[in-house]
Amino acid sequence: MDAQGRGRADDVDPADQWVLNPRTGEYELRLSPSAPESSVPGPRAAGPRASGRRTTAPGREVPPQRRRRAEPEAPVPGRRGRRPEKKKSRGKRLLLWTGGSMAFVVLVAGVGGYVYLKHLEGNVSTTDVGTAGSSSFKKDEAFNILIIGTDKRTGEGNEGYGDKGSAGHADTNILLHVAKDRSNATALSIPRDLIVDIPDCETTQEDGTKKVIPGTSGVRFNQSLGDLGRDAGCTMRTVAETTGIKPDHFMMADFNAVKTLTTAVDGVDVCVENAVDDPKSHLQLPAGESTVEGEQALAFVRTRHAFGNEGDLDRIKVQQQFLGSLMRKMASGDTLTSPTKLVKLAEAATKALTVDSAIGKVGTLKDIALELKKVPTKNITFTTVPVIDNPAEKVKATVVVNEAKGPQVFDMIKNDISFTEVEQKKKKEKAAVAARLKGEKSEPGEVRVRVMNGGAPAGSAQQELAYLQTQAGVSKSENAGNAPAEVAKTTLEYAPDQADQARALAEILGLSGAAMKPGESVTNAQGLPTMTLTLGKDFKGAGVKLDGSVKKPDLDTESTADQKLCAS
């Protein structure tokens, strides 16, 4: 909302007009004595002084609780006749949004409530991506948001960045996965120079008609946006084609997002091992810690010549460190308790942001912010798609997915498995249930069990059987086909005299006490009593423990949002 829209002089900061009244704990609109009166009434206050002008401090007046308008006037976008009522416990909490490579940072640091309502919603641009994404946002499920930073030159001071005349390619790309239980999140960077196959994609034209843009093979990932009129939906489809992970939504912005957001929070702390003097990006920093904002912050995340091998992969590492620092700044008390900073962030973020139509409403963005706020920064992992140099090139300029590591990373994200050691919030099992795991355990070779598929993907029983026999040492195991009915959770049924075998198998499979079902044994073809393992819909793959623990691949790049790192 601009100053003119509220009848103020153009040089007045919109954020400075809201003042905290210490007596009520509410933010109220303050008008200077020389300014025209606003048509936005302040909150009503009880008591005999409600009709008079009150002050919060000497020389600082707030408007009366009720005032008349001289005559009706047309509403200004974003205005409301009264500010939304806030609970005192949340009087200082405002919603933060952003786009591009900064989008999820601000969302994670975002706090409850929102400002300017429809005004902020009017700032946000939307794109209809059709079936490339989800039709709605669901708060009770895991979700994936593709964050795109384009190389399009818009605004003053961006001549030195990106390609001249670019339609806006997918220059910085982060696939953010948020776990269903909100205990962790993974931010997977996708190199712009990754060689991929771009599938056919349907786009919506300005006149509402649909146009299918043909796909192409063996090209850079950044061409999935901008080229031939491809929109963010094409980039989302390319991510799904490359990783097997379907993004639910996207958020996109250009270079200006970095400049405006870092300025709004009075700068972001960064660290470099060696002094930087890059004539191409004009970045100059002394060794050690510095605070960057605006043009200098953009130079920091865009430079390719100040760190490492001067390539895009090294730049991605620097961007991840920068994002972690920005997240910590957003979550700091100095930011969350400053109305001026919060309002500037809200304005800057929403003006920089383009999203898919499904999340373009204020209420939906608020819901995403609140869900992301639940994830502890120590459990937000930054990593990059595992890659190797393109073997088809003599002069190395592009990369391809490392087939030895990439699929495992993609599977972990698809199966909602954390990259960090997460403290899972589990209800205490009853003493009888917990006791099922306590006691002696048989040797794996003495465990007799039949495996049934009760809702896992086809072939899972045979795959798990192969794992048990060849890797876990459970040689007396057999495939019993499909279970009579599907089950949500994997269970192990056993007779009382098989408890030692059940405990051994539970340890191998990562079964909880609740998954162990004392009951009856089944006689196998040899006439011997056998336990029954029924694989449920929660089955994550042969050898993957049901408690979610898994040995992840050794990744070249990985950090978490709470770590303070120095670029080198």
Side-chain angles (χ1 to χ4, degrees):
M1 184 183 298
D2 59 24
Q4 185 178 1
R6 294 192 302 270
R8 301 284 298 179
D10 289 340
D11 60 350
V12 177
D13 187 333
D16 292 337
Q17 296 183 65
W18 293 102
V19 178
L20 178 66
N21 186 333
R23 294 186 300 174
T24 65
E26 302 288 341
Y27 284 96
E28 300 174 355
L29 184 64
R30 180 192 68 198
L31 300 178
S32 63
S34 61
E37 290 189 349
S38 171
S39 61
V40 182
R44 296 181 179 179
R49 300 183 63 187
S51 62
R53 186 175 293 277
R54 296 176 289 112
T55 60
T56 57
R60 290 190 173 183
E61 293 188 333
V62 295
Q65 285 66 38
R66 302 177 66 88
R67 65 185 344 136
R68 296 179 179 175
R69 294 181 180 176
E71 58 183 16
E73 58 181 63
V76 177
R79 289 173 60 175
R80 288 293 181 272
R82 62 189 287 116
R83 285 172 59 77
E85 181 180 354
K86 307 186 190 72
K87 296 180 180 180
K88 288 185 179 181
S89 63
R90 298 189 178 185
K92 296 181 180 180
R93 305 173 74 187
L94 306 172
L95 177 65
L96 308 178
W97 299 303
T98 186
S101 59
M102 303 298 110
F104 85 90
V105 177
V106 182
L107 286 168
V108 172
V111 288
Y114 53 90
V115 294
Y116 297 151
L117 299 172
K118 291 297 182 182
H119 167 71
L120 292 182
E121 188 172 295
N123 285 346
V124 180
S125 300
T126 61
T127 299
D128 179 6
V129 298
T131 59
S134 299
S135 60
S136 62
F137 174 73
K138 298 178 181 179
K139 293 190 284 186
D140 58 349
E141 295 183 358
F143 60 91
N144 303 309
I145 297 180
L146 178 62
I147 313 301
I148 306 171
T150 76
D151 60 359
K152 190 173 183 178
R153 296 183 182 181
T154 57
E156 267 183 61
N158 294 330
E159 295 79 9
Y161 303 100
D163 298 326
K164 185 176 182 180
S166 171
H169 296 111
D171 193 60
T172 298
N173 311 280
I174 297 174
L175 180 62
L176 173 67
H177 171 79
V178 180
K180 181 176 181 178
D181 63 4
R182 308 303 186 243
S183 64
N184 66 93
T186 302
L188 180 69
S189 291
I190 304 173
R192 69 174 191 176
D193 295 328
L194 178 67
I195 295 299
V196 297
D197 294 337
I198 301 176
D200 295 347
C201 62
E202 184 179 75
T203 61
T204 302
Q205 306 300 299
E206 291 185 3
D207 60 1
T209 60
K210 304 290 185 179
K211 177 183 178 181
V212 175
I213 300 176
T216 184
S217 301
V219 296
R220 283 179 166 87
F221 181 88
N222 68 343
Q223 292 179 234
S224 63
L225 179 69
D227 275 16
L228 305 178
R230 293 189 178 103
D231 61 14
C234 299
T235 309
M236 295 171 72
R237 295 179 191 274
T238 303
V239 170
E241 178 83 10
T242 304
T243 67
I245 305 166
K246 180 180 178 180
D248 297 297
H249 308 285
F250 85 88
M251 295 180 178
M252 179 171 66
D254 57 26
F255 297 134
N256 289 318
V258 179
K259 297 197 291 187
T260 56
L261 290 170
T262 54
T263 299
V265 296
D266 294 336
V268 173
D269 296 332
V270 298
C271 180
V272 295
E273 289 188 1
N274 304 303
V276 174
D277 185 2
D278 179 14
K280 293 187 177 180
S281 67
H282 306 294
L283 178 65
Q284 294 181 327
L285 291 175
E289 295 185 358
S290 299
T291 300
V292 296
E293 65 176 272
E295 187 69 35
Q296 193 177 34
L298 179 58
F300 183 82
V301 298
R302 288 294 305 158
T303 180
R304 294 182 59 151
H305 305 284
F307 308 112
N309 296 321
E310 303 186 7
D312 190 49
L313 296 180
D314 289 302
R315 184 178 65 170
I316 287 175
K317 295 178 186 178
V318 173
Q319 289 173 346
Q320 291 173 346
Q321 294 169 17
F322 179 86
L323 292 174
S325 180
L326 181 55
M327 290 180 65
R328 294 190 294 272
K329 185 64 174 285
M330 294 293 182
S332 69
D334 289 345
T335 299
L336 298 182
T337 59
S338 169
T340 298
K341 288 182 181 179
L342 291 175
V343 173
K344 286 181 178 179
L345 274 169
E347 289 287 345
T350 53
K351 288 178 181 177
L353 185 61
T354 298
V355 302
D356 57 286
S357 302
I359 60 172
K361 299 295 183 182
V362 165
T364 308
L365 290 171
K366 179 200 69 173
D367 290 341
I368 294 175
L370 294 178
E371 292 304 306
L372 287 168
K373 177 178 175 286
K374 298 176 183 177
V375 184
T377 55
K378 68 177 181 178
N379 292 333
I380 301 174
T381 301
F382 294 100
T383 190
T384 304
V385 172
V387 296
I388 59 174
D389 287 333
N390 187 351
E393 295 177 335
K394 291 183 178 180
V395 178
K396 303 304 180 184
T398 61
V399 293
V400 296
V401 173
N402 183 335
E403 294 300 334
K405 298 180 179 180
Q408 189 171 350
V409 170
F410 304 150
D411 285 343
M412 288 179 68
I413 294 176
K414 283 191 291 187
N415 292 319
D416 207 18
I417 299 174
S418 174
F419 282 68
T420 57
E421 292 296 328
V422 180
E423 233 180 76
Q424 303 288 347
K425 294 181 179 179
K426 295 182 179 179
K427 294 180 179 180
K428 293 182 179 179
E429 295 179 340
K430 294 179 180 179
V433 173
R436 295 171 189 169
L437 296 171
K438 297 178 181 178
E440 294 184 1
K441 300 181 182 68
S442 299
E443 293 296 322
E446 298 175 359
V447 174
R448 187 176 288 107
V449 62
R450 63 176 191 155
V451 183
M452 303 186 76
N453 191 333
S460 294
Q462 184 59 39
Q463 293 169 11
E464 185 72 347
L465 177 66
Y467 166 76
L468 290 174
Q469 292 180 340
T470 62
Q471 297 187 49
V474 184
S475 56
K476 297 176 182 178
S477 52
E478 59 188 87
N479 187 342
N482 292 327
E486 292 189 353
V487 293
K489 301 288 185 180
T490 298
T491 60
L492 176 64
E493 185 176 0
Y494 58 97
D497 61 352
Q498 295 173 314
D500 53 349
Q501 295 182 44
R503 286 189 286 267
L505 190 60
E507 183 177 53
I508 292 171
L509 301 180
L511 295 176
S512 66
M516 300 172 66
K517 305 294 182 182
E520 298 180 352
S521 61
V522 176
T523 301
N524 65 9
Q526 290 75 38
L528 300 173
T530 305
M531 300 185 295
T532 300
L533 174 68
T534 304
L535 304 180
K537 294 180 180 179
D538 62 337
F539 180 71
K540 295 181 173 67
V544 179
K545 292 193 175 184
L546 271 298
D547 60 5
S549 62
V550 64
K551 179 175 174 54
K552 64 184 177 184
D554 182 20
L555 301 176
D556 297 328
T557 59
E558 184 180 352
S559 63
T560 53
D562 62 328
Q563 294 178 307
K564 294 183 178 180
L565 303 173
C566 289
S568 60

